[in-house]
Amino acid sequence: MEWATSFFGRLMKSDSSSSTSSTPWFAVDITEPLLTFVDVPPELTVRDLNKATRSFSAARLIGRGHNVTVYKAVLPSGTAAAAKVLGTPPSGAWSMCWCSRCSSKAAVCKKLAPPPPSGAWTASHDAFLRQQVSVLSMLRHDNLVRLLGYTIAPDLRVLLFEFATAGTLHDILHGPRGEPEPCSSASRPAVTLSWAQRRQIALDVARGLQYLHEAAAVSHWGVRSTNVLLFEGLRAKIGSYDVFEQLPRPGEQGGDTLVAKRTLVPTCGYLPLEYLMTGLRVPRKADVYSFGVVLLELLTGRKPVDMDNHKLVTWAIPLVRKGEVEQWIDPKLGTQYPPAGALMLARIAEQCLHQCPRSRPSMGAVAQMISDIVRD
């Protein structure tokens, strides 16, 4: 557990200001005693989980995503939770080695046995999942969805997170999803976000990603509007990262890494060009790009890819460069927005969407820029 110990050490050394402060170096929420960071949430039995989800009743189904099915659960304490039933793990190409030669989680032994059949859970997968539960239990931030419990059983692996009472940003902007795919057709939403709400959601998401990148030192690899969860007052939290995307790849020691394209699922307009073209995986900078797409969604009210396969980035960025706000702003806002503020946010999105990964700002810089706009 050296990685978890190192992570906890970084938290101990972090700035003591609250995550709600406007100018933290990284927005770590330490409004609770530090010892709570090491508390692992309860492990539910299969019987408890069946009771909490009414045996995974169709009436409790919230949605489906890549390799995950989500149900509403009610924990024994009476707390509502989102139960994420994990599907098949990745194939054995990235199976973890726990031999004595490997000094940490990041080490991958080159003498692994042949990969197990695709979709087969192994002891190393379960061990890695338990380690990720420990890591998730240490993540504490106002803009990150909290892990409430888990189940690891022979035929069932489930992670339980806070339940988003107001749904997802995707559902608010584009209407409830009729299909699991992010770019599917959907009815128009019943709620229209105000300018102030959109601006605050952008800041919430930026601060959540800043925390993951700078305090937890992990990438999300799944930033999109379906993973932006909304709570009371339409405050936003980032849905937790895909635990299997945290598995190290052979030879991955940080920096730019070439990986097989199958490691990330196409997410309808959220992936950067360097990944789509070459499979180049640039730590954290892919999250920055995806955040830029989400920011454009907030500003325009459009999906990343429409029914005619037109990409939001391709359409919006030339208009942003011309400064013609009325040409791309969400018409549902009418005139209830400041054109100068909208243009500043759009230009932040443009920076995040830079074709060169190293030219994209850090999420800390992005959060600070948005914070300055919110304060104005």
Side-chain angles (χ1 to χ4, degrees):
M1 296 294 289
E2 289 185 19
W3 188 83
T5 303
S6 174
F7 169 77
F8 183 59
R10 283 194 296 274
L11 291 178
M12 293 287 288
K13 295 177 183 177
S14 64
D15 185 80
S16 60
S17 59
S18 167
S19 65
T20 57
S21 171
S22 59
T23 57
W25 180 65
F26 41 61
V28 181
D29 178 6
I30 55 172
T31 56
E32 303 174 64
L34 280 173
L35 287 179
T36 63
F37 284 90
V38 297
D39 289 344
V40 177
E43 181 171 6
L44 279 69
T45 66
V46 174
R47 181 178 179 181
D48 289 338
L49 200 56
N50 282 330
K51 184 177 180 180
T53 61
R54 294 183 181 174
S55 298
F56 299 97
S57 166
R60 292 290 186 93
L61 179 65
I62 297 175
R64 292 187 176 91
H66 171 68
N67 214 25
V68 66
T69 306
V70 186
Y71 295 85
K72 182 176 181 180
V74 179
L75 302 180
S77 63
T79 303
K84 297 180 68 172
V85 182
L86 303 181
T88 57
S91 65
W94 308 305
S95 294
M96 300 301 297
C97 175
W98 300 94
C99 66
S100 58
R101 295 189 302 260
C102 298
S103 60
S104 70
K105 178 187 80 73
V108 177
C109 180
K110 295 181 179 180
K111 297 182 179 180
L112 289 173
S118 179
W121 282 85
T122 65
S124 61
H125 281 134
D126 280 345
F128 180 80
L129 184 56
R130 287 188 181 278
Q131 187 181 54
Q132 288 296 297
V133 166
S134 297
V135 171
L136 285 168
S137 69
M138 290 188 283
L139 298 177
R140 291 287 191 270
H141 189 268
D142 292 343
N143 303 121
L144 192 70
V145 175
R146 184 172 299 188
L147 182 70
L148 301 178
Y150 70 100
T151 297
I152 300 178
D155 299 317
L156 188 66
R157 284 108 181 142
V158 181
L159 300 176
L160 295 107
F161 294 93
E162 291 177 284
F163 181 75
T165 54
T168 72
L169 178 60
H170 179 282
D171 293 346
I172 294 293
L173 287 175
H174 311 305
R177 288 161 289 169
E179 299 292 337
E181 292 297 325
C183 55
S184 63
S185 61
S187 60
R188 296 303 300 167
V191 177
T192 298
L193 295 173
S194 69
W195 170 253
Q197 289 168 334
R198 295 174 198 236
R199 189 178 57 183
Q200 186 61 53
I201 288 170
L203 181 58
D204 289 346
V205 176
R207 283 179 168 166
L209 287 173
Q210 178 189 12
Y211 171 84
L212 281 181
H213 288 185
E214 297 181 358
V218 295
S219 299
H220 191 286
W221 293 115
V223 179
R224 52 187 180 271
S225 58
T226 52
N227 275 340
V228 175
L229 307 183
L230 302 177
F231 293 76
E232 287 78 8
L234 292 181
R235 296 305 297 268
K237 298 185 181 187
I238 295 289
S240 76
Y241 60 76
D242 182 345
V243 294
F244 289 117
E245 281 304 328
Q246 308 309 315
L247 278 166
R249 277 59 173 166
E252 183 172 281
Q253 300 294 333
D256 303 348
T257 307
L258 283 170
V259 296
K261 291 188 180 182
R262 63 190 175 89
T263 63
L264 288 179
V265 179
T267 50
C268 294
Y270 292 99
L271 293 180
L273 186 63
E274 71 269 9
Y275 178 80
L276 295 172
M277 297 283 292
T278 66
L280 182 65
R281 173 176 165 133
V282 184
R284 300 177 181 78
K285 294 298 186 177
D287 286 352
V288 176
Y289 183 96
S290 300
F291 173 81
V293 179
V294 171
L295 187 51
L296 284 184
E297 277 188 87
L298 271 168
L299 293 169
T300 67
R302 294 183 176 225
K303 295 181 181 180
V305 180
D306 65 19
M307 292 298 294
D308 297 321
N309 205 35
H310 296 144
K311 292 185 177 180
L312 173 60
V313 172
T314 304
W315 172 82
I317 292 303
L319 297 175
V320 170
R321 289 172 179 164
K322 292 179 181 178
E324 300 172 351
V325 178
E326 69 280 357
Q327 297 297 316
W328 48 261
I329 199 73
D330 190 343
K332 294 190 293 297
L333 282 169
T335 59
Q336 302 303 306
Y337 68 93
L343 187 57
M344 283 190 287
L345 277 182
R347 285 178 173 160
I348 293 172
E350 182 184 1
Q351 292 180 53
C352 294
L353 296 165
H354 200 286
Q355 289 187 358
C356 177
R358 291 183 180 85
S359 295
R360 297 169 199 155
S362 68
M363 284 310 307
V366 170
Q368 186 60 61
M369 288 187 286
I370 297 176
S371 178
D372 292 340
I373 295 173
V374 169
R375 285 201 303 265
D376 290 342

